[in-house]
């Protein structure tokens, strides 16, 4: 007979957002269990990362805004990123219309900030969060397991889970943090709207002739946006995210390295000179998803399990971290008041905070994507004039960038106080 283990919260997925949520809840002393499909041991994962050559970068990176960095500081992970790993703070962002003359320059100096954000490899963010787990006896990480079944809520909202290794768990709250194809969302029956963006994202690491100058460069091409994101190190390594049509993406993947470097330099209008080297390329189909509801009794969705957006502004992980911070606030407040965290009325406080904000960001990204789609010459001229006008309207430009940096608008309670 299989024994059922009860915990307060089960988080499916020990990626960046799931780990952040677990660590945010750790000081409560409650029993938190994380489920991770990746097999192995945390110590082995961290040792393998430490053994990688310094010039070997992860092709998947995140542009962390100041609000996300503040959360990582509170969780103790940011100090680990800086001391043991690497991050590249960027002070400028230069965006231009590749089909016209429109340009916008965002500067940290104009906002009196040290940086606009940091480009950090995803595996480094995850490793820094994993380092913090050892300091919390109430956090349990189960690796090499996946969610097989999820019960409907009991009368008190509790859920039962069956894992791929046969183990059974019960929890007051199950949080789906298991990515865009969330098994938790599927098993719960929570519906989501999704559509294909008609873009694939080609990602890789490159070496350029000129130094990146701690600047993010983004050109809107006829096929889609191309971003060059600065990486820590010698100043000549950058991560690229080239969103383009599936047919063009396949053509780029078929090129040899030399031809690809030439094509990339041309597409970026040689903003960093010649592209002298490239790492292995990866292709990621892009789809938009948004759950109709983030919560029901005994269940909540965070991060990509609840929403995915186009990567053109690099906001995906930042939205996920804000989800984690907001849900942690709601859970801790409920515990302090003696409320049941499985109660859907409690969980809707989280949904009210985050769903509208995430929908607004999703709509903004969709608007940008459509704005820079192929247009007749008169529309391109108006678009270009609009970009140049916005570049001169500092108050408007600063308002927009402060929202993207997570420094304006409604913020989770824990991020309203200095770290």
């Amino acid at each position: 007979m299989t024994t059922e283990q009860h915990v307060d919260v089960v988080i499916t997925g020990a990626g960046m957002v799931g780990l952040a949520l677990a660590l945010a809840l750790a000081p409560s002393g409650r029993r938190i269990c994380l489920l991770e499909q990746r097999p192995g041991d945390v110590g082995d994962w961290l040792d393998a990362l430490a053994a990688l050559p310094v010039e070997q970068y992860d092709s998947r990176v995140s542009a962390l805004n100041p609000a996300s960095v503040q959360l990582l500081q509170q969780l103790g992970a940011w100090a680990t990123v800086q001391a043991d790993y690497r991050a590249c703070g960027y002070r400028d962002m230069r965006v231009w219309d590749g089909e016209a003359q429109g340009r916008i320059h965002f500067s940290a100096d104009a906002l009196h900030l040290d940086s606009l954000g940091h480009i950090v490899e995803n595996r480094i963010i995850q490793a820094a969060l994993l380092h913090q787990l050892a300091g919390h006896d109430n956090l349990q990480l189960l690796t090499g397991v996946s969610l097989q079944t999820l019960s409907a809520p009991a009368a008190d909202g509790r859920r039962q889970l069956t894992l791929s290794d046969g183990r059974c768990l019960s929890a007051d709250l199950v949080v789906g943090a298991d990515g865009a194809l969330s098994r938790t969302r599927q098993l719960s029956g929570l519906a989501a709207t999704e559509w294909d963006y008609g873009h694939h994202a080609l990602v890789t690491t490159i070496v350029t002739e000129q130094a990146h100058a701690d600047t993010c460069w983004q050109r809107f091409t006829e096929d889609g946006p191309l971003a060059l994101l600065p990486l820590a190190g010698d100043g000549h390594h950058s991560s690229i995210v080239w969103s383009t049509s599936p047919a063009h993406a396949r053509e780029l993947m078929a090129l040899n390295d030399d031809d690809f470097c030439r094509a990339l330099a041309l597409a970026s209008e040689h903003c960093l000179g010649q592209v002298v080297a490239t790492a292995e390329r990866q292709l990621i189909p892009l789809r938009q998803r948004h759950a109709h509801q983030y919560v029901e009794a005994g269940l909540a969705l965070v991060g990509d399990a609840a929403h995915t957006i186009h990567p053109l502004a690099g906001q995906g992980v930042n939205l996920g971290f804000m989800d984690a911070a907001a849900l942690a606030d709601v859970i801790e407040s409920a515990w302090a008041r003696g409320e049941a965290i499985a109660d859907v009325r409690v969980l809707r406080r989280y949904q009210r905070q985050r769903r509208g904000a995430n929908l607004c960001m999703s709509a903004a990204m969709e608007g940008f994507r459509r704005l820079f789609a192929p247009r007749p010459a008169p529309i391109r001229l108006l678009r270009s004039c609009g970009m140049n006008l916005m570049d001169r309207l500092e108050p408007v430009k600063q308002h927009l960038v402060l929202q993207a940096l997570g420094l304006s608008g409604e913020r989770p309670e824990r991020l309203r106080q200095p770290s």
Side-chain angles (χ1 to χ4, degrees), residues 196-203 220-226 241-254 260 282-286 310 369 372-374:
D196 195 318
Y197 277 122
H199 276 172
H200 285 1
L202 188 155
V203 297
F220 283 91
T221 74
E222 188 175 44
D223 287 318
L226 165 62
V241 182
W242 193 344
S243 301
T244 186
S245 67
H248 186 220
R250 288 191 292 270
E251 291 173 4
L252 293 171
M253 290 294 288
F260 174 75
Q282 296 183 34
L283 205 57
I284 306 166
L286 299 178
H310 199 287
R369 187 185 72 84
F372 287 94

Side-chain angles (χ1 to χ4, degrees), residues 168-354:
C168 295
L169 301 176
S170 67
D172 296 338
L173 178 64
V174 176
V175 180
D178 46 349
L181 301 178
S182 172
R183 172 82 171 160
T184 310
R185 187 185 68 234
Q186 293 170 11
L187 289 173
S188 71
L190 287 174
T193 296
E194 64 177 275
W195 66 84
D196 195 318
Y197 277 122
H199 276 172
H200 285 1
L202 188 155
V203 297
T204 190
T205 302
I206 60 168
V207 181
T208 55
E209 178 186 15
Q210 298 173 15
H212 55 57
D214 297 335
T215 299
C216 291
W217 307 80
Q218 185 166 51
R219 179 189 179 218
F220 283 91
T221 74
E222 188 175 44
D223 287 318
L226 165 62
L228 283 70
L229 310 174
L231 294 172
D234 62 4
H236 289 266
H237 283 79
S238 295
S239 178
I240 72 158
V241 182
W242 193 344
S243 301
T244 186
S245 67
H248 186 220
R250 288 191 292 270
E251 291 173 4
L252 293 171
M253 290 294 288
L255 296 175
N256 63 41
D257 284 356
D258 289 342
D259 287 343
F260 174 75
C261 287
R262 281 190 286 269
L264 176 58
L266 183 63
S268 65
E269 297 184 340
H270 295 88
C271 64
L272 296 178
Q274 298 297 330
V275 178
V276 299
T278 179
E280 182 180 356
R281 287 158 264 164
Q282 296 183 34
L283 205 57
I284 306 166
L286 299 178
R287 292 184 66 81
Q288 197 273 357
R289 295 178 181 85
H290 211 116
H292 299 172
Q293 301 291 329
Y294 288 6
V295 302
E296 61 179 21
L299 186 131
L301 303 176
V302 294
D304 284 354
H307 47 79
T308 59
I309 64 172
H310 199 287
L312 67 88
Q315 287 298 308
V317 73
N318 294 313
L319 297 180
F321 279 145
M322 294 309 97
D323 290 350
L327 181 56
D329 285 348
V330 167
I331 292 172
E332 288 183 341
S333 176
W335 279 333
R337 297 174 180 177
E339 297 174 319
I341 62 171
D343 190 331
V344 72
R345 293 169 297 182
V346 170
L347 295 173
R348 282 180 184 146
R349 297 169 192 163
Y350 155 68
Q351 178 168 284
R352 284 193 293 270
Q353 284 189 54
R354 295 302 307 154

Side-chain angles (χ1 to χ4, degrees), residues 79-157:
T80 302
V81 169
Q82 294 183 306
D84 298 342
Y85 298 110
R86 59 192 174 197
C88 183
Y90 60 95
R91 297 186 52 77
D92 295 274
M93 179 180 294
R94 297 187 178 274
V95 181
W96 71 102
D97 187 344
E99 306 304 313
Q101 301 299 314
R103 292 178 178 271
I104 300 180
H105 173 216
F106 301 101
S107 168
D109 289 339
L111 298 167
H112 307 290
L113 297 173
D114 293 333
S115 69
L116 294 175
H118 290 77
I119 306 298
V120 191
E121 298 152 71
N122 287 2
R123 67 187 180 195
I124 283 178
I125 302 171
Q126 186 175 23
L129 291 164
L130 285 169
H131 270 288
Q132 308 308 310
L133 286 183
H136 302 284
D137 293 338
N138 58 316
L139 300 186
Q140 180 184 19
L141 174 62
L142 302 180
T143 64
V145 297
S146 58
L147 182 61
Q148 293 298 296
T149 66
L150 176 66
S151 75
D156 60 1

